[in-house]
Amino acid sequence: MSDTAVRSSTPAKSKRTPAGGAPTAAHSAAEASEPRIEIDAVTDLLLGTWADTRREAREMIKDPAFWRIEGQPMAEHRERVLEQMHLLVPHGASRRAIPKEYGGEGNNGANIAGFQELVLADPSLQIKSGVQWGLFGSAVLQLGTKKHHDKWLRDIVDLTIPGAFAMTETGHGSDVAAIGTTATYDVETEEFVIHTPFRGAWKDYLGNAAVHGKAATVFAQLITGGVNYGVHCFFVPIRDDEGSFMPGVGGEDDGVKGGLNGIDNGRLHFDQVRVPRENLLNRYGDVAADGSYSSEISSPGRRFFTMLGALVQGRVSLDGAATTGTALSLYIALTYANQRRQFDSGSGTDEIVLLDYGKHQRRLLPLLAQNYAQFFANDELLQKFDGVFSGRNDTPEEREDLETLAAALKPLSTWNALDTIQEAREACGGSGFLGENRLVGLRQDLDVYVTFEGDNNVLLQLVGKRLLSDFAKQFKGADAAKLAKYAVGQTAGKVFHGAGLRQFGQSVADFGSTARSVEFGLRAEQQHELLAGRVEQMVSDVASALRPASKLSSKEAAEVFNSRQAELIEAARAHGELLQWEAFSDGVASVEDEGTAQVLTWLRDLFGLYLIEKHLAWYMINGRLSTQRAASVTRYIDRLCTRLRPHAQDLVDAYGFAPEHVRAPIASGAERARQDEAREHYRALAASGEAPVSEKSLKKK
Amino acid sequence: MSDTAVRSSTPAKSKRTPAGGAPTAAHSAAEASEPRIEIDAVTDLLLGTWADTRREAREMIKDPAFWRIEGQPMAEHRERVLEQMHLLVPHGASRRAIPKEYGGEGNNGANIAGFQELVLADPSLQIKSGVQWGLFGSAVLQLGTKKHHDKWLRDIVDLTIPGAFAMTETGHGSDVAAIGTTATYDVETEEFVIHTPFRGAWKDYLGNAAVHGKAATVFAQLITGGVNYGVHCFFVPIRDDEGSFMPGVGGEDDGVKGGLNGIDNGRLHFDQVRVPRENLLNRYGDVAADGSYSSEISSPGRRFFTMLGALVQGRVSLDGAATTGTALSLYIALTYANQRRQFDSGSGTDEIVLLDYGKHQRRLLPLLAQNYAQFFANDELLQKFDGVFSGRNDTPEEREDLETLAAALKPLSTWNALDTIQEAREACGGSGFLGENRLVGLRQDLDVYVTFEGDNNVLLQLVGKRLLSDFAKQFKGADAAKLAKYAVGQTAGKVFHGAGLRQFGQSVADFGSTARSVEFGLRAEQQHELLAGRVEQMVSDVASALRPASKLSSKEAAEVFNSRQAELIEAARAHGELLQWEAFSDGVASVEDEGTAQVLTWLRDLFGLYLIEKHLAWYMINGRLSTQRAASVTRYIDRLCTRLRPHAQDLVDAYGFAPEHVRAPIASGAERARQDEAREHYRALAASGEAPVSEKSLKKK
């Protein structure tokens, strides 16, 4: 968007004198003549490990053929997105994760990194691609074996077989283990019989199911020899070449949705549909011709979670797409806020740029800091994902960590996306509500990210349970002495924290000015101490509350757990926030340029303080912040906002979006041109001597 | 929705035994055999002063002709809504506020009450009606005089003249005083020349402007004799009978928006368009044939605000419509949460109803309490509005109070609407994202409510300024002694509050059980003390901070104000919350039935505690709640949620919606039917002896 090479080589020296005496801070880092970021270097940092692939994807979607047309009717939008997917194929975008022997690159990290950029073109394209290659294709790749790969992988990659991922049912979403669809092995014909026993077992909300899908990977209870071996996945043709349903298959269109209307979501049901035995995707469980079941994983529970875990990439990519979509909304709102003027200050002749208002800084800059944190956290998630799926670090522990990390980050980034896009839309007023400025469409499309691929609350509960079990492991086989020691530690900790961060330079700080003591008390190490301490204590509190449950009846135990459910989810959220903060801090630590490191450290501090402010009551109730120190958090945030205000444009320019990615007239400079035209009009009018005088000035005479 | 007569006369005695040992509270008040609400009586209470009109409106919109068709393309939707407006006319819905001499009822309160119910049919219909009769029509009625009423009122009422309300410009929204459009009087021809001097002065976002409008009430700077008398309103024909623009008039379509696409928003510009002198709506300012200006209000500032104030009804009706729309979303989500089952408890054979989850209660029930508060507050606002506009209480003070009340309540209820509808949509998972279940469409339509008819933050800032000026009045002419006394009072207050509510029975309570002491410390009077005290102190804190500003240069003063802007807005929000809480409390106090009073008191307590929890950090930092007492707030909320859970269905049934208002399949009982069918399937299968055994049970053998 800007010539950063020129900018970086000429650090501006002169302070700008704001016109009209408005209460303006400097509008840019150049004006502020401060250390400033190297925009291009920050772009590299944000694009992360697979920056090249992301740039490649962004270059590709500069082609208007990939752009969402706001307000396009559903039927046309669906066909347009299908066409866009066909365009992706020759660009190689559908084969990055495919093994080399099937013409792919076998590069899992790059694959997700590239796909998540599609959100800038049209979130429907991102998600429909995700359905085809990330879910349907991945089910065949990850849950199937060589025979399946040989048979279907190429056709899936080149879109000869568009497919649906038929897991969710009308009656069961998050609770996949309880789905009703059955796949009963018929030893006579060596076939599986796929069947929907009641309405609640219809497969539902499936992309590609309403119109385009020719096949589906159907999850069903595998029954053979009178035994239910739990949920497995089957490759089931659903439509013939003319687009008619195969015999026994039926369905419905889900119709208009809150967003993502470029995807043909629909329902499917099966009436005794027969598929060959070989259509069982048998990597983790198989049925022999004689009907005998075998699996390398003997525990049904572990087998189930291993199969689901193989499909974690959906969550990984949503975390990234939500982060990029959020960035776009911040780019639009902050660019506009730097141009749009409203109300004069009562003291001058000119109106004030929106971003000079204290409230406007407060509503947008912490969200910018949060979004930066998400970029760093997403890159770590992608690295872990790539490590596991490349086979480099494919251990059960790494898989479990990956799943926990994805389950912790995806809820935070998708919720943050909705909140941030909404704040951005409101910050742009009526023009933010126009489709052409993209914020409303973006929010509508991203809305469902918070409940699909794992409902956010359900995912956080999974994370919470993992935290509880890690916590419990510390005490496994612990003798009385160890437990006693722990209890003492707990108490000491509480007393210690009761004084409010005394351990970190508080006494030193108290000798300095207020400003200094605030910063001393809330520097990186204290931020970390506060954020990490909160996770530990919340988990420990829930664990303590649940401990008696082991002696209760299962009904009573369930009641105890239920009474702590909201708290456990909150602990998991705190864990995710900590991970984002740590990723941001590690990212900043890697920066060598002094100006960049300075500004990004302020931004990281803003994120840390923003998190601490959100949970300020908790910190005080739990004796980790004194009321005085708590009061200083808000003041420090205000100061950081003022300090970061001149860097706002640099920081959103560093997202590296081109005009073809932004496409919002209000962030194009049109607003500034209009303001200039209006000013010029009044200037000329005044110069002409024909300007009307105001009634007010008349009365003064 | 339910036979309340039967329910009320047969208070159930038997406790339900939850099937399957799930951790369920009672699902209904009948099961809980507790005091319960009289549903019909609560409906009366919620519908408020103009209940009859609201029932009439609800009856009318049972006709499917009024219903929004989800996903209807924009062009068709616009025509449908225009047709619906033509249907409103014979129902008398467009004439309630019109003076009797023009065939109306002269009933301002009933008019708004009836209109806000249209949100249940289609928010586009509510808002397009608001444009036609609430803005365009009201401008003629409130800003015009008899000659204008005689000439246009009947045609406006019966939709012969669809019109636009042309106030906002692309360059100026909230800052109406700064609009660029001019109306220059030409004494030669006795005409006003309406002119748009630059692009930023195009009228923008105007309903009825893109297609249907034949005229517009255009706000412009009135210039006569070389003097600008500020913003006045003019009646300007914009299209001929064939729908073509009049000479000199031009415009553009705003295109697709984030919602409300049944309204044809657009832009208008004027190139030296001449209208007769009589087209100035001259109630508050007039120009004689010779060009001399006269007004009964000599202060240009007061005149401007009086004119704007005459149009306050837009804000009043948005407060009501947002409240009713929010209620619809809660009805849908809570009804579904009472039917939908997901995950078994790990202890029984059946799955748990969503509303039995602690987290689900926590996410929805406080929002239900908040929505109830909004109903009571909106009725008070309507009463005040009716008092002023009927002439019964039409004093400058009452008008100012009305405007402040509207400016305080509209932001809260419209933001709450978005948050609540979103929470409701997420609580319904994927089905909440389907258009047919209405939550997404409702949220999209209501999105713009937070920034139009006064941007929420700008409105709250107005309220904040009013609070500051009221505060300052206490000290007007105060001598040093009085100020000193005040300062002492302040200090005493801080010390007093430092002990945390000791004044209200805390010592008594400390003798009782924890549970009792919690309640004693957070009863109605303490809730009020906390909520009111917060407003007082926040205003006083901002005032203290601003006091030195009077000695500063205007630039420095503006900077000081700017640094406190976010805080002032927060104080105004606290004020609005207090007003809602007080309205709710007064409403509950009017209830005679014991069961109803008991349950509504719990609900009011939940609202009060929810507000206090939101600002818990503030209460601790400012010494108004001890950390112990603060910790008990959250526990008390949890207990109230458990207590209210059996009443949830009664409380949403009391909204009085008929199936024709709800129209969401997931709240129709279809989910329960599906669950029953699934259970029956498994029961029959088990009975048949042909059910497969689980692999797990096999392994145990």
Side-chain angles (χ1 to χ4, degrees), chain B residues 441-455:
Chain B
L442 199 59
R443 194 196 172 288
Q444 288 168 14
D445 287 336
L446 266 57
D447 183 359
V448 78
Y449 287 35
V450 304
T451 52
F452 74 178
E453 289 291 312
D455 176 89

Side-chain angles (χ1 to χ4, degrees), chain A residues 21-23 70-71 170-175 178-180 197-200 205 223 226-229 254 256-259 267 293 298 300 303 340-345 347 351 356-359 363 415 418 422 425-426 429-431 433-436 440 443-444 447-448 450-451 455 457 554-555 558-559 562 565-566 569 616-617 620-621 627 630-631 674 677-678 681-682 692-695 698-699, chain B residues 21-23 70-71 170-175 178-180 197-200 205 223 226-229 254 256-259 267 293 298 300 303 340-345 347 351 356-359 363 415 418 422 425-426 429-431 433-436 440 443-444 447-448 450-451 455 457 554-555 558-559 562 565-566 569 616-617 620-621 627 630-631 674 677-678 681-682 692-695 698-699:
Chain A
E70 305 295 329
T170 305
H172 286 97
S174 295
D175 188 8
I179 57 171
F198 44 81
R199 174 62 186 82
Y205 317 112
I223 298 164
V227 178
N228 182 345
Y229 288 91
D254 275 327
V256 173
K257 305 183 298 293
R267 307 177 178 122
Y293 180 85
S298 60
R303 189 192 311 135
R340 171 76 169 185
R341 294 172 185 275
Q342 197 73 285
F343 288 105
D344 69 27
S345 63
S347 65
E351 293 166 310
D356 287 328
Y357 286 104
K359 175 72 185 173
R363 68 197 293 195
W415 271 325
L418 297 192
Q422 181 65 23
R425 123 77 194 121
E426 292 181 28
S431 52
F433 193 60
L434 298 186
E436 64 179 28
V440 285
R443 195 197 171 285
Q444 288 168 14
D447 183 359
V448 77
V450 303
T451 53
D455 175 90
N457 280 306
S554 60
K555 175 168 184 289
E559 268 169 16
N562 198 33
Q565 188 194 21
I569 288 171
L616 208 50
M620 282 186 277
I621 287 175
T627 51
R674 280 195 295 267
E677 185 202 0
H681 167 80
Y682 287 120
V693 299
S694 80
E695 184 186 7
L698 206 65
K699 286 184 193 289
Chain B
E70 305 294 331
T170 305
H172 287 96
S174 295
D175 188 7
I179 57 171
F198 43 80
R199 174 63 185 82
Y205 316 114
I223 298 163
V227 179
N228 182 345
Y229 289 90
D254 275 326
V256 173
K257 305 183 299 293
R267 306 175 179 122
Y293 181 85
S298 61
R303 188 192 314 135
R340 171 76 168 185
R341 294 173 184 277
Q342 198 72 285
F343 288 106
D344 69 26
S345 63
S347 65
E351 293 166 310
D356 288 330
Y357 286 105
K359 175 71 184 174
R363 68 198 291 196
W415 270 325
L418 297 192
Q422 181 66 22
R425 122 78 194 121
E426 293 181 27
S431 53
F433 193 59
L434 299 187
E436 64 179 29
V440 285
R443 194 196 172 288
Q444 288 168 14
D447 183 359
V448 78
V450 304
T451 52
D455 176 89
N457 280 306
S554 59
K555 175 168 184 289
E559 269 168 14
N562 198 33
Q565 188 193 21
I569 288 172
L616 209 49
M620 283 186 276
I621 287 174
T627 51
R674 280 196 295 267
E677 184 201 358
H681 167 80
Y682 287 119
V693 299
S694 80
E695 183 187 7
L698 206 65
K699 285 183 194 288

Side-chain angles (χ1 to χ4, degrees), chain A residues 627-649:
Chain A
T627 51
Q628 288 87 337
R629 200 151 291 269
S632 72
V633 169
T634 295
R635 288 198 300 272
Y636 191 24
I637 291 177
D638 289 340
R639 288 231 315 284
L640 282 168
C641 284
T642 309
R643 193 176 275 171
L644 284 161
R645 189 259 170 272
H647 301 277
Q649 194 66 52

